[in-house]
Amino acid sequence: MNRRGIALLATTLLLAACGGDSGDQGGGVPPPPPPPVVQVSIAPADVEIVPSAIQQFACTVTGSTNTQCNWRVQEGAAGGTISAAGLYTAPAATGTYHVIAASAADPNRTATATVRVATPTAATAWVTGYYAGWYWDVMYPPQEVDMTAMTHFVFGRVAPGGGSLGGTPGTVVRGAGTAHDPGLSPDGTRSVEDYLVQRAHAAQTRALLMLGGDGPDGIGFLLSTTDAMRPTFVRNVVDYLVAHDYDGVDIDWENELEGNAGMGVSAAEARRRLMALISDIRTAANSRPRYSGANRPVIVTFPGYAVSINFLEPGGRVEQWQADVANMVDQYNLMSYGAGTAFNGAGWDSWFSGPIFGATGTTPYDLNTSINAYVATGVPRWKIGIGIGFYGIYYGPTITGPRQSTAGNSTFIIDDVALRYNELVRKGYLDDRNGTYHWDDTAKASYRSYGAGGYVPAIDPASPRAGYLSYDDERSIAAKGSWVRETGVGGTILWTINYGYLPQSRTNPLLAATKRAFLPQRP
């Protein structure tokens, strides 16, 4: 081979080694990037539940536009069952089982959750107490809150943007006034909010954030949970939880769950958005370091409703969506106080705030019936809590006790602020000189009746006259605590612990009674 042939051969070999050809003057075209790797995560990744209990799982898929998962139980039918939506039902037998989520886009990409099914030991009922942060400087000073009287402390509140507090949909709007401001806590440095969270943790009490509330917050939730907006809203909620060191969130979506025709949202769509919000918050939070590790997954609770015996589904059941929500959260607490159990008008008889038993067609609410209806629809009893209101309701003045027709009655007062326990004391409603105390052994409830013409406080003569007052006191709280612990109900919520504080004596008799009744093991 001559010199020119040797040079051409060398050039050809060099171009081949570089991936080019003799016509490529730019040094070669880089290869396309590899496709993204599909990854799957599952939440919760480790959970302990009792036999036959129900647990909601959620999966997150990255690396593909198809974010769906297919579910299965590794042990087959012996390990329980799981629905296409990730709702797992444990087997009756104890043991350790595994739930697997596989990417629909790449079935070889999976994530596995460990499920330990164990017989429950003697359970401690929960006490979840709400603290209205907007009252911090006028009602129940933060340094005096007895955190040992609760297993879960809920700070109120923030709201979804576009609801009662305004703001842009998808944002988290602060609603506790100056309780959010730095430097106003008793230590002079932190906010009252952060101070209370720290005090809860020091007492081994979990701290939850109240998200939402009654009234227009339902609109805010609808606006903030569209499929387009929900990721932003979830990120903002979880950012807030982490920033303030909360252990979880209480999702107070109370309104618009029947839909909103003006917004073009059906009941089914509103409920779908609620369940998507619960699932997405749990998944997003548990991906953060704050909620990683044993006993640290985010806590999600929800306040639901007691149910009327006149409107139960066949078989004495609640509507399926209510059971589905209950099974997705860690606590499903019934707002079974005030207007949650008592009504006024034709077809209704006077009734109690939070009775345990005694529901009839004209007094159609009690705790026992409501709990049983949820259980009949597949919700474990230990996941459900009852409500105790630290305020009263009254009829009058012609209504003087329970089970009296309210047709034509014009006075039915259910304002929790006006009738909070410390105001009932201050205005003399609970003074034996002004009314007679009674105990109803069927409902397990306390009440007061007043004389002819009813009672009106001398210090508030503009108040409508009261003939019959229903309220929780130490005796009714003791009865509720015994019933909850004896029947395996999960616990109770308290609305709100501020209302029970008596400034003159610097005591909170109702909170102390709750501690004795529900948490006798706590010093």
Side-chain angles (χ1 to χ4, degrees):
M1 180 179 294
N2 59 27
R3 183 177 300 174
R4 182 173 180 274
I6 294 173
L8 286 172
L9 177 61
T11 301
T12 301
L13 291 173
L14 178 61
L15 287 171
C18 296
D21 56 48
S22 59
D24 182 359
Q25 304 299 315
V29 177
V37 176
V38 175
Q39 295 184 327
V40 183
S41 62
I42 191 171
D46 192 302
V47 66
E48 180 172 315
I49 58 178
V50 299
S52 302
I54 298 173
Q55 174 68 47
Q56 178 70 50
F57 286 93
C59 74
T60 301
V61 176
T62 58
S64 172
T65 56
N66 184 349
T67 58
Q68 299 302 306
C69 283
N70 295 317
W71 298 91
R72 63 184 175 91
V73 179
Q74 180 173 295
E75 292 76 16
T81 60
I82 191 162
S83 73
L87 193 63
Y88 171 77
T89 301
T94 60
T96 300
Y97 307 101
H98 302 86
V99 169
I100 298 175
S103 165
D106 183 352
N108 293 318
R109 297 293 179 175
T110 63
T112 301
T114 299
V115 183
R116 294 181 303 280
V117 178
T119 302
T121 57
T124 297
W126 67 68
V127 174
T128 299
Y130 289 82
Y131 182 89
W134 53 94
Y135 288 139
W136 76 269
D137 53 350
V138 294
M139 197 187 309
Y140 209 6
Q143 68 272 23
E144 297 192 22
V145 175
D146 182 6
M147 293 293 182
T148 69
M150 296 167 282
T151 59
H152 298 75
F153 169 83
V154 186
F155 177 83
R157 72 183 177 103
V158 297
S164 63
L165 302 177
T168 303
T171 61
V172 173
V173 185
R174 296 178 176 183
T178 58
H180 298 291
D181 296 345
L184 296 183
S185 70
D187 64 14
T189 56
R190 288 171 289 184
S191 67
V192 169
E193 177 182 15
D194 291 339
Y195 172 83
L196 285 166
V197 170
Q198 185 276 329
R199 285 204 62 225
H201 289 157
Q204 304 301 308
T205 294
R206 300 295 188 95
L208 308 179
L209 174 68
M210 177 182 173
L211 171 63
D214 198 3
D217 280 334
I219 299 292
F221 276 115
L222 289 180
L223 292 171
S224 296
T225 57
T226 63
D227 290 343
M229 184 60 68
R230 191 171 60 252
T232 297
F233 184 48
V234 168
R235 183 180 65 252
N236 287 333
V237 170
V238 176
D239 285 348
Y240 195 98
L241 295 178
V242 172
H244 297 278
D245 200 25
Y246 281 105
D247 298 291
V249 60
D250 181 67
I251 301 177
D252 282 293
W253 186 338
E254 300 181 24
N255 303 98
E256 309 300 332
L257 289 172
E258 298 299 322
N260 186 302
M263 298 176 65
V265 179
S266 67
E269 171 61 13
R271 295 160 187 173
R272 184 194 71 83
R273 293 184 191 181
L274 166 61
M275 287 185 263
L277 176 65
I278 293 170
S279 178
D280 289 357
I281 285 178
R282 192 183 293 281
T283 300
N286 287 337
S287 70
R288 304 286 186 95
R290 167 63 178 81
Y291 302 105
S292 300
N295 298 317
R296 289 178 62 84
V298 71
I299 299 167
V300 182
T301 64
F302 184 83
Y305 297 98
V307 290
S308 167
I309 66 172
N310 295 330
F311 301 106
L312 293 176
E313 299 294 300
R317 299 159 61 93
V318 299
E319 293 183 57
Q320 188 60 49
W321 75 271
Q322 293 174 296
D324 291 344
V325 171
N327 281 319
M328 292 184 71
V329 297
D330 299 291
Q331 297 179 13
Y332 186 86
N333 293 299
L334 305 183
M335 295 181 287
S336 49
Y337 36 64
T341 55
F343 292 86
N344 181 68
W348 298 95
D349 288 347
S350 53
W351 196 225
F352 296 100
S353 175
I356 299 177
F357 303 107
T360 70
T362 55
T363 58
Y365 289 87
D366 68 30
L367 301 178
N368 185 62
T369 299
S370 291
I371 295 289
N372 287 340
Y374 279 95
V375 172
T377 321
V379 183
R381 187 174 295 270
W382 54 265
K383 263 200 173 185
I384 312 169
I386 65 168
I388 297 176
F390 281 15
Y391 68 99
I393 62 173
Y394 72 75
Y395 299 81
T398 58
I399 306 296
T400 57
R403 305 180 183 88
Q404 298 177 15
S405 173
T406 63
N409 176 63
S410 60
T411 299
F412 180 52
I413 309 300
I414 56 173
D415 185 337
D416 62 320
V417 178
L419 297 181
R420 61 189 187 269
Y421 181 79
N422 46 36
E423 279 292 90
L424 294 177
V425 172
R426 188 177 75 90
K427 293 183 177 180
Y429 286 98
L430 307 186
D431 193 321
D432 289 336
R433 294 170 295 181
N434 300 326
T436 304
Y437 172 84
H438 300 274
W439 173 256
D440 190 283
D441 203 45
T442 298
K444 306 298 181 187
S446 298
Y447 70 97
R448 297 251 171 187
S449 59
Y450 303 98
Y455 173 72
V456 60
I459 62 174
D460 189 12
S463 295
R465 291 186 172 271
Y468 156 58
L469 169 73
S470 174
Y471 66 107
D472 268 309
D473 65 356
E474 290 91 334
R475 186 174 181 180
S476 66
I477 290 172
K480 287 181 170 69
S482 295
W483 179 74
V484 161
R485 291 188 290 111
E486 290 168 2
T487 61
V489 173
T492 187
I493 52 170
L494 311 175
W495 182 262
T496 126
I497 61 174
N498 308 68
Y499 294 167
Y501 179 71
L502 302 180
Q504 298 84 356
S505 60
R506 296 174 61 183
T507 61
N508 198 319
L510 299 190
L511 185 58
T514 304
K515 181 179 178 180
R516 291 192 299 270
F518 287 82
L519 305 173
Q521 75 283 358
R522 279 206 170 188

